[in-house]
């Protein structure tokens, strides 16, 4: 299944220039680029999409998959959550988006029912291990979980597609396993 699978990683809204302003032109253009990349992947036979369901990129990509699934029922959304209560401290609107996605997902799996130090990193490792491709929204910050997930994907020899959130420039690293 790994050859037909893609996982998502990316920054939370507070690390993006527009923060929570989803109508900002930069945010709209990034959403369009994410949609184009997911459509392209689906056209190449990728049908299984994995989201860690963090606020921002993960949930946005999950919503895109759900919209595309209406026209292409072969697409599946797998939500891999670090623990129950992941969204408890999010805004009401972010929680509403989160639970709406979970209700429509094909599969929901937890790393752990209870939070523990490291469950988020374990979730990120499992996302990479499940998928042959990692689609990332990444600004180049070295000391954050998105960068760590990308580095783990490199170590595992995965294909990596990185979209810079500001320039929307796309960096593509082929799988070391091809």
């Amino acid at each position: 299944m790994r050859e037909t699978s893609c996982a998502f990683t990316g920054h939370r809204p507070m690390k993006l220039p527009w923060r929570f302003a989803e109508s900002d032109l930069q945010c709209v253009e990034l959403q369009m680029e994410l949609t184009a990349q997911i459509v392209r992947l689906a056209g190449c036979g990728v049908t299984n999409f994995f989201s860690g369901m963090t606020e921002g990129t993960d949930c946005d990509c999950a919503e895109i998959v759900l919209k595309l699934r209406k026209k292409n029922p072969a697409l599946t959304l797998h939500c891999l959550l670090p623990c129950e209560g992941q969204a408890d401290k999010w805004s009401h609107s972010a929680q509403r988006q989160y639970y709406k996605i979970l209700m429509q997902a094909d599969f929901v799996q937890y790393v752990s029912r209870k939070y523990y130090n490291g469950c988020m990193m374990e979730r990120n490792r499992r996302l990479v291990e499940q998928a042959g491709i990692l689609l990332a929204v990444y600004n180049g910050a070295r000391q954050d979980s998105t960068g760590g997930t990308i580095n783990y994907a490199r170590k595992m020899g995965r294909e990596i597609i990185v979209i810079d959130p500001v320039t929307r420039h796309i960096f593509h690293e082929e799988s070391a396993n091809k």
Side-chain angles (χ1 to χ4, degrees):
M1 180 164 96
R2 188 178 302 132
E3 300 79 33
T4 61
S5 300
C6 173
F8 306 121
T9 190
H11 299 301
R12 292 180 176 88
M14 42 291 234
K15 287 203 174 179
L16 299 170
W18 54 86
R19 300 180 58 83
F20 295 92
E22 293 180 11
S23 61
D24 182 282
L25 182 59
Q26 286 182 300
C27 180
V28 171
E29 290 176 347
L30 177 60
Q31 295 295 318
M32 289 172 32
E33 186 57 52
L34 285 167
T35 300
Q37 289 299 315
I38 294 169
V39 165
R40 184 187 65 75
L41 289 167
C44 293
V46 175
T47 55
N48 300 291
F49 293 90
F50 289 81
S51 176
M53 294 298 293
T54 58
E55 192 175 13
T57 301
D58 288 17
C59 284
D60 292 345
C61 288
E63 279 191 325
I64 292 167
V65 170
L66 291 173
K67 287 177 189 169
L68 294 173
R69 187 175 69 182
K70 291 175 183 173
K71 290 184 179 179
N72 184 352
L75 302 184
T76 61
L77 178 63
H78 304 254
C79 296
L80 181 55
L81 310 176
C83 59
E84 289 182 354
Q86 173 177 245
D88 286 354
K89 295 181 182 177
W90 298 0
S91 70
H92 180 69
S93 62
Q95 287 182 19
R96 192 172 51 247
Q97 176 193 35
Y98 177 84
Y99 289 112
K100 185 178 177 186
I101 292 167
L102 290 181
M103 288 187 339
Q104 297 176 71
D106 297 286
F107 302 96
V108 177
Q109 181 182 8
Y110 293 88
V111 168
S112 173
R113 290 293 177 178
K114 295 186 185 269
Y115 174 85
Y116 66 88
N117 190 19
C119 67
M120 306 279 185
M121 287 186 2
E122 177 61 24
R123 182 258 334 263
N124 294 345
R125 283 191 293 270
R126 289 187 190 183
L127 286 168
V128 170
E129 290 164 1
Q130 293 288 330
I133 301 167
L134 181 67
L135 176 59
V137 173
Y138 181 57
N139 65 11
R142 296 197 182 270
Q143 298 296 326
D144 82 357
S145 63
T146 301
T149 304
I150 291 169
N151 286 335
Y152 186 65
R154 282 186 186 117
K155 179 181 174 187
M156 297 299 293
R158 301 300 191 252
E159 180 178 348
I160 303 168
I161 303 165
V162 176
I163 304 172
D164 181 289
V166 175
T167 66
R168 283 161 314 286
H169 184 87
I170 298 169
F171 305 91
H172 190 217
E173 296 180 30
E174 289 294 324
S175 167
N177 298 326
K178 283 190 174 181

